[in-house]
Every structure is written in C-alpha cells, then in structure tokens.
Amino acid sequence: MKKREQFSGNLTVILAMAGSAIGLGNIWRFPYIVGEYGGAAFIIVYFLACIFIALPIFFAETVIGRRGGMDTFGSMKRLAPGSSWYKVGLLTVISPIIILSYYSVVGGWSIHYLLKSFGVAFGQETGHFGEFISSVEAPLLAHTVFIALVAAVVLAGVKKGIEKFTKITMPILFVLILVTVVYSLTLPGAGRGVDYLVKPDFSKLSGEALMAAVGQAFFSLSLGVGTVLTYASYMRKKDNIFLSGVGTAGFDLLFALMAGFAVMPAVFAAGLSPSSGPGVVFETLPFIFGKMGSDAAWITICVSGVFFLAVLMAALTSAISMLEVGVAYLVEEKHIKRSRSVLYLVLFAWAVGLLCSLSFGPLSGVHILGDTIFDFLDKLCSNWLMPFGGLLFTIFVGWKMPSADVLDEFSNGGDKPLNVRIYPVVRILIRYIAPIGIVLIFLNSIL
Ligand code: PFF
C-alpha cells in the first residue's frame, strides 16, 4: 500500500488548520456579531467559548484523527472495531461537501470583486451587489473558477498541494489584512468603528450572545465536520496536539479581530451602520474604498484589491479543507484514485452550488422550510450538522475511548509533560462541558 502523506511539522499543521479555520466566517460574521453583542464584552465571552467548548472538541477530533491515522470512517473503525461508530464518518463526508457547495458561491463573489477592484469586468457587469448576485452567468462563472482552484490544490495532494498552498498563502494573507487594517484605521472618523468593536457593553451579554459566541466558535474553527480530524490524521506522531489546538485557535481569533478592525472603522468612517451578512464585505467596502481616504485613485484600487485578495485566500484555504475530508474518504475507504475522487466530489458540490447561486436570482422563490436553498443549507450545516458532529466526537473520545488511550495520544505517550498535567481538565471539558454546551445550542435553535 502507498505510504500515507504527512504534514512536515508542527508549524505546518498549525498553518493548515489555521487555513481551514480562518475564512469567510472571520471576515463577514465575526466583526458584526462582536458589535451586536457588546464589543469587548462579547470578545471575552467568545474567548471563553473557544476555551471551554471549541478547544475540547478540537482536541477530541485531533485525538481520533491522529490515533486512527485515516479518514473519519477508517479512524473510527480502527479505534472502535466492531461498533457502529464509524458511521459518524458519513456525516463528515456529507457536511463538508454541502458547506463547500455554498461556500464556493461566496468564494466566487470574492474573485468577482477582486477583478472588479482592478476594473476588470467579469461576465456581465452590474453596479450593485444585489444585482450581481441575483444575475445568472457572472456568479456561476465565478463559482466555477473558485471551485476549480480548490480542486487543483487538493488534486496536488497533502504535501505538494495543501501544505505548499497554505504555507504560501497564510503569511501573505496576514500581511494583506494588516495593510487593510492600517488603511481603515487612518480613515477620518474611524474611531467610532473602533469603539463599536472594543467598548465593552455588558448589558448586551444575554443568553443569546452566549449562543452566538458558541456558534461562531464552532463555524470559525471548522469543528464537527471531520476537517480537523482528517488534517490531524496527517500529523506526525511527535507533533503536539495541545500546541496545534492553541495555535490554531489563537491565529483564528487574531485574524477575526484584525478583520474586525479592517471592516468596522471603514463602515463607520463612511457614516454607514454595520449590518450582518455579505453585504458589508462585498457592497459597502468597495464603495468605501472607492470613495474615501485618498485622492489618489490607485491607492483605493490597491486597498480594495488587497482586501479582496485576502478574502479570496482565506476562503480558498478553508474550502480546500472541506474537499479534503471527502477525498480522504473516497481514496482510503473506496479505493478510488485521488484525481477521480476530486472530480466526483467537485462535480457534486459544483451542481449543488449552482442551485445555491441561482437561489439569489431565478430560484429565489424556491423555499425549503421557509428558507431559500442557500440559507437552508447554511442553517442545516451551521446549526445542526456541525454541532451534531461535534457532540458525537466528544462522546466518542470522552465516553467510548479508554481514558488511558486518549491521554497517551494527547501527550505523545507521556512525552509532553504539560499535556499530561492539563489532561484531567481537558477530560472534564470533553466529557461534560463541551457536550452540554452543544446541547444548549440545539435547544437554542429549536426554541
Ligand atoms: N472555518 C471556516 C470559516 O470560518 O470561514 C468555515 C469552515 C471551514 C467550515 C471548513 C467548515 C469546514 F469544514
């Protein structure tokens, strides 16, 4: 059998996992909910949600992935032979591919706006965001280009594709977003945007804010869908699980905060009010970049270009991780060649994405349980499938796997003294706190 590919070190693992984590969720969702739920007060709650709920799930997935050393099905079959636990794998193949389908529609928008920043018309040119997304050809073309880029990277394999791509893009992404932050903060009137993000308003910290924090932590760290598990299966035995979790969550939070400082000061400087959703990122920012800040048109063009390049890169590294989960499954469980696996999954995601894209236009009248196709799939994954997967992973590691095995994996056979010392706390988080947190999310969604 061909030797399984591996990431080449701790830092690579963190970069790849951070690549999966840092995405559209950080750029358009985080800045808005921070302001909505009390600024710095919410950031504190979000931080706690990451530590008490998200990180334990992250550790659970990493332990399964690295110890199992295969895709989700294979790993669970190895760790719980003869049981039905491997069927959880089904969830982790379906969810990421569905997420990929609608995520790549939005990823396509970033390609469109990137080209637009430089004055390149991409398909039929329209002035407004609403008009653009409800048109047929241009968003579909952009969706196709985006998903083709994702396929190309995954096709190249774990080391030559995913590792190489994330190693190059993540540092660039960091610089790009830093440039946008600096530009945004220097706009006249940016201070109110900063206030919006940092002024703690504890009166807004409701139960709803708590749920929003947990939900955001889930989506942002790509939990419950097997991406962390699959990437962990490419970790070397000597890499540090605790460090990868803390590193990934740390980068993710840092990037979310930077995105906040890139977006909100500009929104306030333009005298607009912050609102949720892609509108802020795709409609408001180009308008702001085009109108303000500098007399020199080239500066605004560059800033807009830099910003959308950052959005595109962030989206690509996340989408790649979604595709890799299913590809690992088809290659290892069904023995289908990597190239064919990529082809099948991409065709499926592309076709579902096509419906999602059209659901902003010609198919906007089609509703599933009261939502458009795009919104329905997003809610299905974010509110149900991801938390459900997370719940199953924590139950598996907390209650099914022998504690000694979990400790052995978490501490590399006792080689990492710090990991050994914190393990009792991690165990309580995995067994009790995280599952209870997830059940609360469900109750919140139901009510
Ligand atoms: N974490 C990504 C974001 O914040 O945009 C979204 C995501 C990536 C969700 C990978 C699920 C996944 F498997």
Side-chain angles (χ1 to χ4, degrees):
M1 208 174 110
K2 234 175 87 183
K3 201 170 164 285
R4 226 169 166 266
E5 286 195 273
Q6 280 191 332
F7 286 133
S8 43
N10 250 330
L11 185 65
T12 319
V13 171
I14 295 176
L15 280 182
M17 288 188 172
S20 168
I22 295 170
L24 298 168
N26 302 55
I27 297 177
W28 96 44
R29 227 167 137 223
F30 186 80
Y32 166 72
I33 57 172
V34 166
E36 177 77 11
Y37 291 114
F42 178 83
I43 293 178
I44 297 170
V45 174
Y46 179 72
F47 187 69
L48 296 177
C50 283
I51 292 182
F52 289 105
I53 297 183
L55 266 179
I57 300 168
F58 190 100
F59 292 143
E61 276 197 51
T62 330
V63 163
I64 301 173
R66 197 182 52 185
R67 199 166 186 84
M70 287 186 82
D71 65 291
T72 320
F73 280 80
S75 292
M76 297 206 100
K77 271 189 212 159
R78 272 189 187 168
L79 297 182
S83 77
S84 295
W85 271 99
Y86 72 91
K87 290 185 183 150
V88 174
L90 199 61
L91 194 69
T92 70
V93 172
I94 294 171
S95 320
I97 288 301
I98 296 179
I99 301 176
L100 176 64
S101 67
Y102 65 83
Y103 203 86
S104 106
V105 171
V106 184
W109 298 348
S110 68
I111 297 183
H112 177 91
Y113 275 91
L114 172 63
L115 294 178
K116 212 173 136 165
S117 307
F118 296 105
V120 181
F122 190 155
Q124 171 202 0
E125 198 40 55
T126 47
H128 298 289
F129 177 68
E131 260 174 69
F132 162 64
I133 62 169
S134 60
S135 63
V136 175
E137 292 92 358
L140 278 185
L141 185 58
H143 161 59
T144 309
V145 172
F146 182 87
I147 213 162
L149 289 174
V150 174
V153 176
V154 175
L155 198 60
V158 174
K159 250 199 156 82
K160 286 202 194 119
I162 301 175
E163 173 171 328
K164 206 165 166 196
F165 188 75
T166 41
K167 257 186 173 162
I168 298 171
T169 45
M170 294 312 283
I172 299 178
L173 176 60
F174 189 79
V175 174
L176 293 180
I177 204 78
L178 198 63
V179 171
T180 325
V181 170
V182 171
Y183 177 81
S184 237
L185 288 177
T186 52
L187 292 172
R192 272 177 301 135
V194 176
D195 282 352
Y196 181 77
L197 286 172
V198 300
K199 249 206 187 129
D201 180 354
F202 288 96
S203 69
K204 286 188 182 161
L205 280 189
S206 53
E208 196 187 317
L210 187 66
M211 290 304 130
V214 176
Q216 173 66 12
F218 237 97
F219 190 76
S220 199
L221 283 172
S222 319
L223 297 173
V225 288
T227 50
V228 174
L229 191 157
T230 306
Y231 274 16
S233 74
Y234 303 133
M235 272 171 95
R236 299 176 311 175
K237 283 292 174 199
K238 59 181 172 188
D239 290 335
N240 191 336
I241 290 183
F242 178 62
L243 191 68
S244 351
V246 173
T248 304
F251 276 132
D252 189 60
L253 181 62
L254 177 69
F255 192 88
L257 291 173
M258 286 171 73
F261 286 109
V263 172
M264 284 309 163
V267 169
F268 277 86
L272 299 165
S273 69
S275 64
S276 75
V280 175
V281 168
F282 291 100
E283 185 161 46
T284 318
L285 288 186
F287 168 79
I288 297 166
F289 291 145
K291 284 263 186 292
M292 304 188 56
S294 164
D295 299 332
W298 67 270
I299 293 188
T300 48
I301 289 174
C302 285
V303 173
S304 173
V306 159
F307 179 74
F308 283 110
L309 188 59
V311 177
L312 173 61
M313 285 184 167
L316 276 174
T317 49
S318 295
I320 285 164
S321 72
M322 297 168 200
L323 181 57
E324 179 60 25
V325 184
V327 170
Y329 161 72
L330 290 183
V331 170
E332 293 182 338
E333 301 300 313
K334 301 286 163 200
H335 308 292
I336 298 174
K337 273 198 350 218
R338 194 170 180 89
S339 49
R340 273 180 190 270
S341 307
V342 169
L343 183 72
Y344 295 155
L345 293 173
V346 159
L347 279 181
F348 179 78
W350 178 83
V352 178
L354 183 123
L355 298 178
C356 293
S357 184
L358 294 177
S359 76
F360 291 98
L363 297 185
S364 59
V366 178
H367 287 103
I368 308 172
L369 299 178
D371 283 309
T372 63
I373 302 172
F374 184 102
D375 288 342
F376 170 75
L377 291 180
D378 181 27
K379 280 189 191 161
L380 176 71
C381 293
S382 308
N383 299 352
W384 298 101
L385 298 182
M386 295 183 89
F388 187 53
L391 181 63
L392 295 177
F393 288 137
T394 50
I395 293 176
F396 183 78
V397 173
W399 298 90
K400 172 82 186 160
M401 276 179 80
S403 179
D405 288 3
V406 180
L407 171 63
D408 182 64
E409 198 58 43
F410 187 70
S411 67
N412 295 6
D415 252 6
K416 311 272 178 211
L418 177 66
N419 299 20
V420 176
R421 241 178 292 141
I422 58 169
Y423 177 69
V425 179
V426 170
R427 181 150 179 84
I428 293 174
L429 293 176
I430 291 180
R431 292 190 97 184
Y432 302 103
I433 311 292
I436 292 173
I438 297 169
V439 170
L440 288 179
I441 306 186
F442 282 143
L443 290 179
N444 182 57
S445 300
I446 293 166
L447 303 175

